[in-house]
Amino acid sequence: MVLKSTTSTNHTVYQISGTNTSRSLPDWVARKRRKDLKNDAEYSSRIELLQDFEFSEASNKIKISPDGQYAMATGTYKPQIHVYDFAELSLKFARHTDAENVDFIILSDDWTKSVHLQNDRSIEFHTQGGIHTRSRIPKFGRAMSYRKSNCDLYVGASGNEIYRLNLDQGRFMTPLELGSEITGCNCLDINPAHELLGFGLENNTVQFWDPRSRSRLLQLSMENSDSVGDSSMGIGGGITSLKFNDDGLSMAVGTSSGEIVLYDLRSPNPLLRKEQGYGLPVNNLIWINGLDRDGSDSTTRILSADKKIAKIWDVESGKPFTSFEPSVDINDVAHIPETGMFFLANEGMPLHTYFIPSLGPAPSWCSFIENVTEELEEAPVTSVYDNFKFVTKKELAGLGLGHLLGTNVVRSYMHGYFIDIRLYEQAKLISNPFAYHEHREREIKKKIDKERESRIRTSSKLGVKINQGLAEKLAKAAEKKAKKAVREARMKAKAKAAEASEDVDSDAEIVQEVLVSNSGKSDKNLLDSRFKSVFEDVDFEVDENTVEFQQLNPTRPTKSVPLPASKLSLSDDEELYGQAGSDDEDVEE
C-alpha cells in the first residue's frame, strides 16, 4: 500500500486519491482481467477510499452534508450529480441534469434536499426522488446562500441585484438593489452568529446588509488592489470569495489578484494581508477552528485556495501551516469538520483527497487511514542520521573531540555517538594531517609491487606477502588431506589384490600416483584468483592481537607447519611413505 506524501513546515500531507496516485478500473474490466491484474504492482497497491470517486471529465463543486455522513459533488460531462455514502465507502447514486452546475446548497441534514444553480439561469430543486421543481432568474447566477431562519435563498448574479427566493412561500421576493454602479456580485455569505449579509462585488467592495430591514449598513472598500478599474473587471473580477467565521466577528475576503485580507467587523482596518503567490483569483476560503492534534492549544487557521494551490496558515501570525498542490486545476475545496481530511473538485477525472494528521484525526468512517499514515511515517525515520557519522568513544577521543560529550553536537546512540559528518572530516584532517600522503604512498607501493611480481619471484616460503599464519594453516590442512589419501589408496590396492590374487603394486608407485592426482589441489585456496587479495592486499591483513581473533583461536601452534604434499620433493616421498606404513601396521595389529 503506497501513499504519496509531501512535507512542508514539518507537517506531512498525504494524498489519498487523485491524479497520479493510483489507477482505477471499472468493475467489469477488473473482473475480465483478473489474472493480468494480479501481477500488476501499481493496481494491487492502489488505495480506493471511496468507490467511483470521479467524473467522466471534471468536477465543479463538492460539499459535505451537515450530518457529516454524505458528500455531494457536481461535474461534467455529461452534467451530473454524485452522492457518496461514507458509511458504505461508495457512490450512492448518480443523477444527470440538463445544464452544468455553478453552485449548490444542501438544505437538509442529509443529502435528500438540495438546490442547484445552473449555468442556463435556472435554479433546480432536488429531493430524494429526483428533481422536484425548476425556476429561472433574469440574469446568469454566480453564487448562492441560504438563510434558515426565514427560508430565504439569496442568489448573486451578473447585475446590480441580489435575487431573493422564499422557499416557504414558494415565490420570488423583492430583490436587493446594490446600486447603479454595481455590475455583478461574485460571492455572498451569511454570518452564522447574527445573520449579517455580506456581498463581494466586482468593483472591489464588500457590502453588508441587514436581512431584517433589507437595507445596506456599510460598504467596505478594498485598498491596495490592482484589480480596481483594470481589464480584470467582469466575471471573476474584484472580490471573488467571502467567508465569515463562526465567532461572528471575523471575516476573510479573497480578491481576483490572489490577495487574502482578514477583517474584524468592529474595525474597517484589515488585521492581516496574505498573498496566495500565483496572482490568480482566490476561489475558496475555509475557517478551520479547533484544538491542535495534541490538544495543547486552541488555534484558528484558514484555508485559501486558487486554481493552483491550497494553503493553510495561522490567522493570528500569518505563518504558513502547510499546503497541497495537485497536478490539475482546483475548482472547489471541502473540509470535513473536526478532522484533517479535505476533498478537492478539480479539472481531472478523479476527485482528490488529502489527509493532514497534524491538523486533525481521520473521520470515523475511515479510521484505518490513521494506521496507514503511521506506517508511512515510520519508514523514513532512518534518514535522520544520513548526514552524521557513527563513532565509538575511543574514536571520539582519538579525534580530539572527547570534550564535546554531553553537548548537543554529540548525540548518544547505542554503544557510540553520532556527530556531524562535516565535523568528523575536519577533526580527522586535523588529528592526522598526513593521512592523504600516507594513503598516496601505500597506493604507490602497491602499484610497484604489482609490477615487480611479473619479473621477480617472491622469496616467501609459501609465496604469500601477508597472512602467513593463515597460509600455514591452509597448508597444514592440505598436508593432512594428502596423507589420508595415501592411506586410503594403499588400503584399496591391497583389498583389490587380495580378491584378484595378484601382486600388489609397489608402495612407491601408489604414493606417486596419489601425489600426481592431488597436484594443484592442496594449495587451491592460495592460488585461486578469488582469494588472491587475502594474501596480497594489506587491507585484508588479519590482526592476530585483537580480542576477536584470540576468542576464535584460543590455541595456536608454535612450530611452523611443513609444506603441503603437492610441493614435496621425491626425496621426501620415502618419509611420507614410512609414516603411512607405520600407521597401517598399527591398524593391522
Side-chain angles (χ1 to χ4, degrees), residues 116-164:
H116 298 258
L117 176 63
Q118 309 293 81
N119 65 354
D120 61 348
R121 298 190 292 114
S122 65
I123 300 176
E124 296 182 355
F125 296 88
H126 288 255
T127 60
Q128 189 172 2
I131 182 171
H132 179 69
T133 186
R134 179 187 290 109
S135 183
R136 293 178 68 86
I137 55 177
K139 296 184 179 181
F140 291 96
R142 299 181 182 177
M144 292 192 306
S145 187
Y146 179 66
R147 184 187 177 198
K148 293 184 177 181
S149 59
N150 63 347
C151 301
D152 272 354
L153 179 68
Y154 296 89
V155 182
S158 58
N160 62 344
E161 295 180 338
I162 301 295
Y163 302 109
R164 291 195 305 135

Side-chain angles (χ1 to χ4, degrees), residues 405-587:
L405 290 175
T407 64
N408 295 331
V409 179
V410 179
R411 304 184 183 185
S412 177
Y413 184 79
M414 295 180 68
H415 63 284
Y417 305 91
F418 273 114
I419 62 174
D420 192 281
I421 188 64
R422 296 169 295 180
L423 176 61
Y424 173 79
E425 296 293 343
Q426 293 179 2
K428 187 177 179 181
L429 183 61
I430 294 173
S431 61
N432 189 7
F434 302 103
Y436 172 74
H437 299 285
E438 294 175 358
H439 171 72
R440 186 171 180 269
E441 290 177 359
R442 284 197 303 268
E443 292 296 327
I444 294 174
K445 187 176 181 298
K446 187 187 301 183
K447 188 174 181 180
I448 293 174
D449 293 342
K450 186 176 181 181
E451 292 178 354
R452 285 176 178 175
E453 278 185 7
S454 60
R455 50 191 174 89
I456 301 177
R457 291 193 176 184
T458 178
S459 60
S460 177
K461 187 177 179 181
L462 295 177
V464 297
K465 298 178 182 180
I466 59 173
N467 294 334
Q468 184 75 20
L470 177 61
E472 293 176 355
K473 184 178 179 181
L474 295 176
K476 184 178 179 180
E479 181 187 3
K480 289 182 179 180
K481 186 176 181 181
K483 289 181 179 181
K484 184 178 179 182
V486 170
R487 288 195 299 268
E488 292 177 353
R490 292 186 72 256
M491 293 178 65
K492 289 181 180 179
K494 289 181 179 181
K496 184 178 181 181
E499 293 177 358
S501 299
E502 298 178 355
D503 295 335
V504 184
D505 295 338
S506 63
D507 291 339
E509 293 179 357
I510 295 174
V511 173
Q512 185 66 22
E513 182 181 352
V514 173
L515 292 176
V516 172
S517 63
N518 289 327
S519 62
K521 296 182 180 179
S522 59
D523 56 346
K524 182 179 179 181
N525 291 332
L526 301 179
L527 301 178
D528 196 332
S529 60
R530 296 178 298 172
F531 308 103
K532 185 178 180 180
S533 300
V534 177
F535 303 102
E536 295 181 357
D537 194 345
V538 293
D539 293 336
F540 292 93
E541 185 175 3
V542 178
D543 188 1
E544 298 182 358
N545 297 324
T546 60
V547 179
E548 292 81 2
F549 182 83
Q550 294 176 2
Q551 290 177 347
L552 296 174
N553 302 274
T555 59
R556 286 177 290 168
T558 58
K559 297 187 298 182
S560 60
V561 181
L563 288 172
S566 62
K567 294 188 178 181
L568 291 175
S569 62
L570 293 177
S571 62
D572 297 330
D573 292 344
E574 296 178 358
E575 182 182 358
L576 180 61
Y577 162 73
Q579 293 177 358
S582 62
D583 294 339
D584 294 337
E585 292 176 358
D586 296 338
V587 174

Side-chain angles (χ1 to χ4, degrees), residues 276-297:
Q276 190 70 3
Y278 285 96
L280 301 172
V282 180
N283 297 330
N284 287 92
L285 292 172
I286 300 176
W287 292 88
I288 304 174
N289 302 312
L291 297 174
D292 283 341
R293 183 64 188 268
D294 55 2
S296 59
D297 189 18

